[in-house]
Amino acid sequence: MSELVLAIDIGGTSMKGALVDRQGHLSSRFVVPVVPGEEQESALDRLIASAKESLQSLSEGDRVIGIGCGVPGGINTFTGVCDYASNLGWKNLPVARILSDKLSLPCKIDNDANAAMLGEIQFGQEKAYRNAILLTLGTGIGGGIFVNGQLYVGNEGKGAEIGHMVIVAGGIPCPCGRKGCFETYASATALTREAKKAVEAHPESLMAEEVRKGVKIDAALPFECAKKGDEVAQQVVDQYIEYLGVGCLNLIDIFRPEVIVLSGGVSKQGENLRQPLERYLEKFGYGFGVDKAPKVDVKISRLGADIGIYGAAALGFSIGE
Amino acid sequence: MSELVLAIDIGGTSMKGALVDRQGHLSSRFVVPVVPGEEQESALDRLIASAKESLQSLSEGDRVIGIGCGVPGGINTFTGVCDYASNLGWKNLPVARILSDKLSLPCKIDNDANAAMLGEIQFGQEKAYRNAILLTLGTGIGGGIFVNGQLYVGNEGKGAEIGHMVIVAGGIPCPCGRKGCFETYASATALTREAKKAVEAHPESLMAEEVRKGVKIDAALPFECAKKGDEVAQQVVDQYIEYLGVGCLNLIDIFRPEVIVLSGGVSKQGENLRQPLERYLEKFGYGFGVDKAPKVDVKISRLGADIGIYGAAALGFSIGE
């Protein structure tokens, strides 16, 4: 007999779910699309209908002990309410209570990046880290902070907004109202923006040639063209690594974690991302305190696109702990 | 009968000590000067001689249960060894073991800023905060991080180097090897540097007039002249508050603490520092997550120059906890 949790990963375009056991095996997966403009309660109703089907497919002897759910937005972890999720248009939605009532199971929700951090610790690493930072390099930069063997979420769960740490005072304006935030320089969006600029400025580059052939400009393009020897693309990558490095060194100086794990779209570049970043960190002795300050592991998450599901599963298993 | 600890605050110019009880009463204070170039072992010997005298002055019935000691440098909190303290010329010095052996008491050492954070939590605030940040605005910027009701020091105690968080990528070079560190913009040293520049550029200013009268340029001068209506001084103060605000908002976005406490030289400006800083933080809704993100208290430490002693005392009382 296995104990399972229902793991739900709510994103900007779809809501994904699965049953997950303590070993990290996924079963009965489902995907529910997000319908722009839909009332928040009916979005949850559609999610609940799919979740019920998933729960009915349970093997004999298995038991679901709770629900974990990651939501992209501001979550009050004390009350289980989604205060706001701009991408979904949700506001003041008591997600934990609704899921719990309709599915008759205890439920825990958290911000998706915080959940991903827990998932990474529980399912992504062979080593049992007590202090770790997770960076999700996607549309923005999400962050998860694991300190003293616990997830750190700050007052009302509103901390760990690592993407909004300013690294260039007075720099590029961020929708959050500040200028020069880490995510305006080191997210997939930022990398794509800089690649576009380089393509316009350098029509002779391989990147520009690829674009004329119909290739889409995204975060992967500069990495791929740099591999083929395109100097313009290499410069875009180098600059990106430098900004990513500045942010990582800040986090290292503040937290001196044992590991920094990279996830999200840009992390698909694997060693082509990890190795130059590690070289940059080594150049500065992994931040302040060169003299004997302990090295920080830099890893790419192996959970890939399922990190959100694993995160929700870890939340589910943490109920009652 | 009271339980006391021997609290030792080692600084760059002097080593201060006192007996402290759980209510924060200080007695039998002593000060031992730091002698530049002295062998590290003999510096500790002089300290120990004064500490012994202090311990002999114990009132009848009182009992000293341990030693707490704050050291300005890189401390391995696991081993109690001072790996390096550049201002003192100390290297690989097993401070905890030496003090413990010579004074026959258990001893705990930590970085001075980490110790100050503990002292602030235990003796400085009426409210029992579980998540707090302490900034020491002095020669550099020291930092203490208190999360989930515990001091956070990172791997081997080498974290909480808040002063070396880069806020201006590519900015003013810092002796740590990075460029644009928080402390190169928001320490007392940075404020003094900017005041000097303003005095040179604006001989017509009140600040320049004061300097011609023989007043020393320090972190207090721009605040004092701004109070008297000097626009040049006001600009220096405003710019300082802005950089301090950028760093504080970063820490708020990352930690969402309940309180940020200011200590160190610049904090002597009291409300003239606290109020404009709080206005700056409010302008950005205390960082990312304006929508319902909880307010952060901004306070000036009332422990003043004794914060190091109180920090060491808190370390001492934490032995065996």
Side-chain angles (χ1 to χ4, degrees), chain B residues 252-272:
Chain B
I252 289 172
D253 282 339
I254 294 171
F255 290 101
R256 187 60 55 181
E258 296 151 75
V259 66
I260 286 186
V261 184
L262 306 173
S263 70
V266 185
S267 76
K268 288 181 199 154
Q269 302 309 318
E271 288 300 299
N272 292 320

Side-chain angles (χ1 to χ4, degrees), chain B residues 1-17:
Chain B
M1 185 181 126
S2 288
E3 288 195 332
L4 308 173
V5 292
L6 172 63
I8 299 170
D9 172 30
I10 298 180
T13 56
S14 66
M15 303 183 272
K16 296 185 286 185

Side-chain angles (χ1 to χ4, degrees), chain B residues 290-313:
Chain B
V290 178
D291 210 342
K292 284 192 139 188
K295 192 170 171 300
V296 179
D297 294 341
V298 180
K299 298 201 170 178
I300 304 284
S301 172
R302 57 180 184 186
L303 301 179
D306 283 330
I307 190 166
I309 292 278
Y310 283 106

Side-chain angles (χ1 to χ4, degrees), chain B residues 146-161:
Chain B
F146 194 72
V147 301
N148 294 337
Q150 283 188 302
L151 186 67
Y152 181 75
V153 299
N155 199 5
E156 288 186 9
K158 299 286 171 52
E161 287 292 350

Side-chain angles (χ1 to χ4, degrees), chain A residues 83-84 91-92 131 145 147-148 150-152 154-156 158-161 164-169 176-178 243 245-246 249-251 253-258 284 288-289 291-294, chain B residues 83-84 91-92 131 145 147-148 150-152 154-156 158-161 164-169 176-178 243 245-246 249-251 253-258 284 288-289 291-294:
Chain A
D83 288 336
Y84 54 90
K91 211 159 182 181
N92 298 324
N131 297 301
I145 300 171
V147 301
N148 294 337
Q150 284 188 303
L151 186 68
Y152 181 75
N155 199 5
E156 289 186 9
K158 299 287 171 52
E161 287 292 350
H164 296 284
M165 160 177 73
V166 166
I167 62 168
V168 184
C176 82
R178 303 186 70 196
Y243 283 121
V246 166
L249 285 178
N250 280 1
L251 297 168
D253 283 340
I254 295 171
F255 290 100
R256 188 59 55 180
E258 297 151 74
F284 290 97
F288 173 80
D291 211 342
K292 283 193 137 187
Chain B
D83 288 336
Y84 54 90
K91 210 160 182 181
N92 297 326
N131 297 302
I145 300 173
V147 301
N148 294 337
Q150 283 188 302
L151 186 67
Y152 181 75
N155 199 5
E156 288 186 9
K158 299 286 171 52
E161 287 292 350
H164 296 284
M165 160 177 73
V166 165
I167 62 167
V168 183
C176 82
R178 303 187 70 196
Y243 282 121
V246 166
L249 285 179
N250 280 1
L251 297 168
D253 282 339
I254 294 171
F255 290 101
R256 187 60 55 181
E258 296 151 75
F284 290 96
F288 173 80
D291 210 342
K292 284 192 139 188

Side-chain angles (χ1 to χ4, degrees), chain B residues 185-186 191 194-195 198 207 219 222-223 226-227 230-246 272-273 275-277 279-280 283-284:
Chain B
Y185 290 87
L191 179 53
E194 293 304 313
M207 274 208 296
F223 277 95
K227 262 187 280 183
D230 183 4
E231 277 181 31
V232 171
Q234 188 63 55
Q235 277 168 20
V236 171
V237 170
D238 289 350
Q239 196 194 46
Y240 176 79
I241 295 290
E242 195 166 328
Y243 282 121
L244 181 59
V246 166
N272 292 320
L273 172 71
Q275 285 180 15
L277 175 63
R279 278 197 298 274
Y280 181 87
K283 188 176 152 193
F284 290 96

